mmCIF file of all heavy atoms in Angstrom:
data_model
loop_
_atom_site.group_PDB
_atom_site.id
_atom_site.type_symbol
_atom_site.label_atom_id
_atom_site.label_comp_id
_atom_site.label_asym_id
_atom_site.label_seq_id
_atom_site.Cartn_x
_atom_site.Cartn_y
_atom_site.Cartn_z
ATOM 1 N N MET A 1111 138.931 129.048 138.013
ATOM 2 C CA MET A 1111 139.631 129.387 136.811
ATOM 3 C C MET A 1111 140.785 128.284 136.652
ATOM 4 O O MET A 1111 141.472 127.977 137.610
ATOM 5 C CB MET A 1111 140.357 130.717 137.041
ATOM 6 C CG MET A 1111 141.055 131.280 135.882
ATOM 7 S SD MET A 1111 141.623 132.906 136.240
ATOM 8 C CE MET A 1111 141.715 133.604 134.618
ATOM 9 N N SER A 1112 140.772 127.780 135.506
ATOM 10 C CA SER A 1112 141.747 126.717 135.264
ATOM 11 C C SER A 1112 143.165 127.282 135.250
ATOM 12 O O SER A 1112 143.371 128.465 134.913
ATOM 13 C CB SER A 1112 141.455 125.989 133.958
ATOM 14 O OG SER A 1112 141.792 126.768 132.860
ATOM 15 N N LEU A 1113 144.128 126.429 135.474
ATOM 16 C CA LEU A 1113 145.519 126.890 135.473
ATOM 17 C C LEU A 1113 145.920 127.419 134.091
ATOM 18 O O LEU A 1113 146.611 128.376 133.980
ATOM 19 C CB LEU A 1113 146.417 125.742 135.917
ATOM 20 C CG LEU A 1113 147.847 126.042 136.127
ATOM 21 C CD1 LEU A 1113 148.059 127.163 137.105
ATOM 22 C CD2 LEU A 1113 148.618 124.802 136.611
ATOM 23 N N GLU A 1114 145.395 126.696 133.065
ATOM 24 C CA GLU A 1114 145.749 127.104 131.712
ATOM 25 C C GLU A 1114 145.229 128.525 131.412
ATOM 26 O O GLU A 1114 145.897 129.337 130.820
ATOM 27 C CB GLU A 1114 145.158 126.077 130.755
ATOM 28 C CG GLU A 1114 145.448 126.375 129.297
ATOM 29 C CD GLU A 1114 144.845 125.402 128.306
ATOM 30 O OE1 GLU A 1114 144.388 124.314 128.712
ATOM 31 O OE2 GLU A 1114 144.886 125.700 127.110
ATOM 32 N N ASP A 1115 143.975 128.779 131.831
ATOM 33 C CA ASP A 1115 143.328 130.117 131.602
ATOM 34 C C ASP A 1115 144.107 131.168 132.356
ATOM 35 O O ASP A 1115 144.299 132.257 131.862
ATOM 36 C CB ASP A 1115 141.864 130.085 131.977
ATOM 37 C CG ASP A 1115 141.062 129.244 131.062
ATOM 38 O OD1 ASP A 1115 141.416 129.085 129.903
ATOM 39 O OD2 ASP A 1115 139.948 128.767 131.449
ATOM 40 N N LYS A 1116 144.541 130.871 133.581
ATOM 41 C CA LYS A 1116 145.328 131.866 134.331
ATOM 42 C C LYS A 1116 146.581 132.152 133.698
ATOM 43 O O LYS A 1116 147.047 133.262 133.583
ATOM 44 C CB LYS A 1116 145.575 131.311 135.749
ATOM 45 C CG LYS A 1116 144.378 131.369 136.717
ATOM 46 C CD LYS A 1116 144.779 130.824 138.047
ATOM 47 C CE LYS A 1116 143.576 130.841 138.964
ATOM 48 N NZ LYS A 1116 143.969 130.378 140.332
ATOM 49 N N ALA A 1117 147.263 131.139 133.192
ATOM 50 C CA ALA A 1117 148.525 131.248 132.513
ATOM 51 C C ALA A 1117 148.396 132.112 131.225
ATOM 52 O O ALA A 1117 149.173 132.987 130.958
ATOM 53 C CB ALA A 1117 149.176 129.932 132.132
ATOM 54 N N LYS A 1118 147.325 131.875 130.477
ATOM 55 C CA LYS A 1118 147.052 132.630 129.298
ATOM 56 C C LYS A 1118 146.842 134.094 129.601
ATOM 57 O O LYS A 1118 147.365 134.975 128.871
ATOM 58 C CB LYS A 1118 145.863 132.039 128.498
ATOM 59 C CG LYS A 1118 146.211 130.748 127.790
ATOM 60 C CD LYS A 1118 144.995 130.258 126.978
ATOM 61 C CE LYS A 1118 145.259 128.984 126.341
ATOM 62 N NZ LYS A 1118 144.107 128.430 125.617
ATOM 63 N N ALA A 1119 146.042 134.342 130.613
ATOM 64 C CA ALA A 1119 145.773 135.724 131.004
ATOM 65 C C ALA A 1119 147.035 136.371 131.476
ATOM 66 O O ALA A 1119 147.245 137.605 131.154
ATOM 67 C CB ALA A 1119 144.615 135.751 132.044
ATOM 68 N N ALA A 1120 147.810 135.709 132.269
ATOM 69 C CA ALA A 1120 149.042 136.359 132.759
ATOM 70 C C ALA A 1120 150.033 136.619 131.633
ATOM 71 O O ALA A 1120 150.629 137.685 131.620
ATOM 72 C CB ALA A 1120 149.738 135.416 133.819
ATOM 73 N N ALA A 1121 150.107 135.701 130.673
ATOM 74 C CA ALA A 1121 150.956 135.930 129.557
ATOM 75 C C ALA A 1121 150.538 137.135 128.703
ATOM 76 O O ALA A 1121 151.345 137.985 128.238
ATOM 77 C CB ALA A 1121 151.042 134.658 128.635
ATOM 78 N N LYS A 1122 149.227 137.233 128.548
ATOM 79 C CA LYS A 1122 148.662 138.387 127.765
ATOM 80 C C LYS A 1122 148.967 139.658 128.446
ATOM 81 O O LYS A 1122 149.343 140.700 127.927
ATOM 82 C CB LYS A 1122 147.185 138.206 127.520
ATOM 83 C CG LYS A 1122 146.491 139.208 126.728
ATOM 84 C CD LYS A 1122 147.035 139.368 125.294
ATOM 85 C CE LYS A 1122 146.509 138.274 124.441
ATOM 86 N NZ LYS A 1122 146.893 138.480 122.978
ATOM 87 N N ASN A 1123 148.799 139.665 129.832
ATOM 88 C CA ASN A 1123 149.154 140.871 130.561
ATOM 89 C C ASN A 1123 150.619 141.250 130.490
ATOM 90 O O ASN A 1123 150.950 142.430 130.317
ATOM 91 C CB ASN A 1123 148.735 140.652 132.029
ATOM 92 C CG ASN A 1123 148.735 141.966 132.829
ATOM 93 O OD1 ASN A 1123 148.299 143.011 132.387
ATOM 94 N ND2 ASN A 1123 149.314 141.836 134.025
ATOM 95 N N ILE A 1124 151.486 140.331 130.668
ATOM 96 C CA ILE A 1124 152.917 140.577 130.505
ATOM 97 C C ILE A 1124 153.246 141.082 129.104
ATOM 98 O O ILE A 1124 154.009 142.061 128.963
ATOM 99 C CB ILE A 1124 153.734 139.338 130.823
ATOM 100 C CG1 ILE A 1124 153.547 139.007 132.350
ATOM 101 C CG2 ILE A 1124 155.174 139.437 130.490
ATOM 102 C CD1 ILE A 1124 154.087 137.619 132.711
ATOM 103 N N GLU A 1125 152.660 140.513 128.101
ATOM 104 C CA GLU A 1125 152.892 140.905 126.728
ATOM 105 C C GLU A 1125 152.453 142.355 126.562
ATOM 106 O O GLU A 1125 153.157 143.169 125.901
ATOM 107 C CB GLU A 1125 152.183 139.977 125.792
ATOM 108 C CG GLU A 1125 152.268 140.309 124.281
ATOM 109 C CD GLU A 1125 151.428 139.451 123.416
ATOM 110 O OE1 GLU A 1125 150.814 138.466 123.887
ATOM 111 O OE2 GLU A 1125 151.333 139.771 122.261
ATOM 112 N N GLY A 1126 151.293 142.733 127.133
ATOM 113 C CA GLY A 1126 150.767 144.011 127.032
ATOM 114 C C GLY A 1126 151.729 145.049 127.725
ATOM 115 O O GLY A 1126 151.952 146.157 127.236
ATOM 116 N N LYS A 1127 152.173 144.631 128.915
ATOM 117 C CA LYS A 1127 153.064 145.602 129.665
ATOM 118 C C LYS A 1127 154.352 145.775 128.953
ATOM 119 O O LYS A 1127 154.890 146.912 128.843
ATOM 120 C CB LYS A 1127 153.322 144.989 131.050
ATOM 121 C CG LYS A 1127 152.174 145.138 131.999
ATOM 122 C CD LYS A 1127 152.523 144.567 133.407
ATOM 123 C CE LYS A 1127 151.315 144.580 134.288
ATOM 124 N NZ LYS A 1127 151.255 145.676 135.141
ATOM 125 N N ALA A 1128 154.858 144.802 128.329
ATOM 126 C CA ALA A 1128 156.158 144.873 127.541
ATOM 127 C C ALA A 1128 155.944 145.802 126.348
ATOM 128 O O ALA A 1128 156.745 146.647 126.052
ATOM 129 C CB ALA A 1128 156.620 143.558 127.151
ATOM 130 N N GLN A 1129 154.834 145.606 125.667
ATOM 131 C CA GLN A 1129 154.533 146.377 124.444
ATOM 132 C C GLN A 1129 154.337 147.819 124.874
ATOM 133 O O GLN A 1129 154.769 148.754 124.162
ATOM 134 C CB GLN A 1129 153.324 145.828 123.688
ATOM 135 C CG GLN A 1129 153.115 146.498 122.324
ATOM 136 C CD GLN A 1129 152.156 145.792 121.476
ATOM 137 O OE1 GLN A 1129 151.483 144.839 121.925
ATOM 138 N NE2 GLN A 1129 152.098 146.249 120.211
ATOM 139 N N GLU A 1130 153.587 148.092 125.952
ATOM 140 C CA GLU A 1130 153.383 149.440 126.435
ATOM 141 C C GLU A 1130 154.666 150.065 126.776
ATOM 142 O O GLU A 1130 154.947 151.247 126.415
ATOM 143 C CB GLU A 1130 152.398 149.498 127.595
ATOM 144 C CG GLU A 1130 152.126 150.866 128.106
ATOM 145 C CD GLU A 1130 151.214 150.937 129.307
ATOM 146 O OE1 GLU A 1130 150.923 149.854 129.875
ATOM 147 O OE2 GLU A 1130 150.815 152.066 129.598
ATOM 148 N N ALA A 1131 155.571 149.365 127.501
ATOM 149 C CA ALA A 1131 156.900 149.928 127.809
ATOM 150 C C ALA A 1131 157.701 150.210 126.626
ATOM 151 O O ALA A 1131 158.397 151.258 126.526
ATOM 152 C CB ALA A 1131 157.605 148.896 128.750
ATOM 153 N N MET A 1132 157.643 149.362 125.640
ATOM 154 C CA MET A 1132 158.375 149.604 124.370
ATOM 155 C C MET A 1132 157.859 150.883 123.697
ATOM 156 O O MET A 1132 158.634 151.689 123.174
ATOM 157 C CB MET A 1132 158.279 148.442 123.427
ATOM 158 C CG MET A 1132 159.060 148.612 122.112
ATOM 159 S SD MET A 1132 160.828 148.789 122.300
ATOM 160 C CE MET A 1132 161.310 147.194 122.693
ATOM 161 N N GLY A 1133 156.547 151.091 123.724
ATOM 162 C CA GLY A 1133 155.961 152.283 123.191
ATOM 163 C C GLY A 1133 156.436 153.524 123.933
ATOM 164 O O GLY A 1133 156.645 154.585 123.362
ATOM 165 N N ASN A 1134 156.550 153.357 125.243
ATOM 166 C CA ASN A 1134 157.075 154.538 126.021
ATOM 167 C C ASN A 1134 158.472 154.857 125.739
ATOM 168 O O ASN A 1134 158.869 156.012 125.621
ATOM 169 C CB ASN A 1134 156.966 154.206 127.534
ATOM 170 C CG ASN A 1134 155.473 154.265 127.988
ATOM 171 O OD1 ASN A 1134 154.651 154.987 127.536
ATOM 172 N ND2 ASN A 1134 155.196 153.490 129.061
ATOM 173 N N VAL A 1135 159.294 153.821 125.552
ATOM 174 C CA VAL A 1135 160.722 154.042 125.188
ATOM 175 C C VAL A 1135 160.904 154.602 123.805
ATOM 176 O O VAL A 1135 161.664 155.541 123.600
ATOM 177 C CB VAL A 1135 161.515 152.721 125.278
ATOM 178 C CG1 VAL A 1135 162.943 152.832 124.756
ATOM 179 C CG2 VAL A 1135 161.577 152.234 126.718
#
């Protein structure tokens, strides 16, 4: 897995966690 692909997947995961948390709040 390229570093760029890992970074994109990690960013998408963090974005999703933040949005889910905002939805919970």
